[in-house]
Amino acid sequence: MSLENAPPEIKLAVDLIELLETNEIDPALALAALAIVQRDYERKIQQAAHTQADGTDPD
């Protein structure tokens, strides 16, 4: 499969990997930072679901 036809999450992952490697980010540091990003986005998804369920503003 070419990247051109890949799902958007694969394209984004490749872009993020390239960014981290280009900037020579230590793999352990990258994983620690990505864990923080994951928690943040999981929180945003939960807030969006809550907002959608009860019609409140997430902010």
Side-chain angles (χ1 to χ4, degrees):
M1 173 193 313
S2 74
L3 188 56
E4 184 176 298
N5 298 322
E9 64 272 19
I10 298 296
K11 291 178 183 179
L12 179 57
V14 169
D15 287 345
L16 291 171
I17 291 167
E18 182 179 9
L19 177 67
L20 293 168
E21 289 180 352
T22 299
N23 288 284
E24 299 179 1
I25 303 300
D26 176 74
L29 176 60
L31 285 177
L34 288 169
I36 294 167
V37 171
Q38 181 174 0
R39 286 191 302 269
D40 182 62
Y41 274 83
E42 287 172 346
R43 181 185 52 80
K44 289 176 182 181
I45 289 170
Q46 288 176 350
Q47 284 180 340
H50 178 69
T51 299
Q52 192 173 37
D54 66 12
T56 61
D57 188 335
D59 295 327

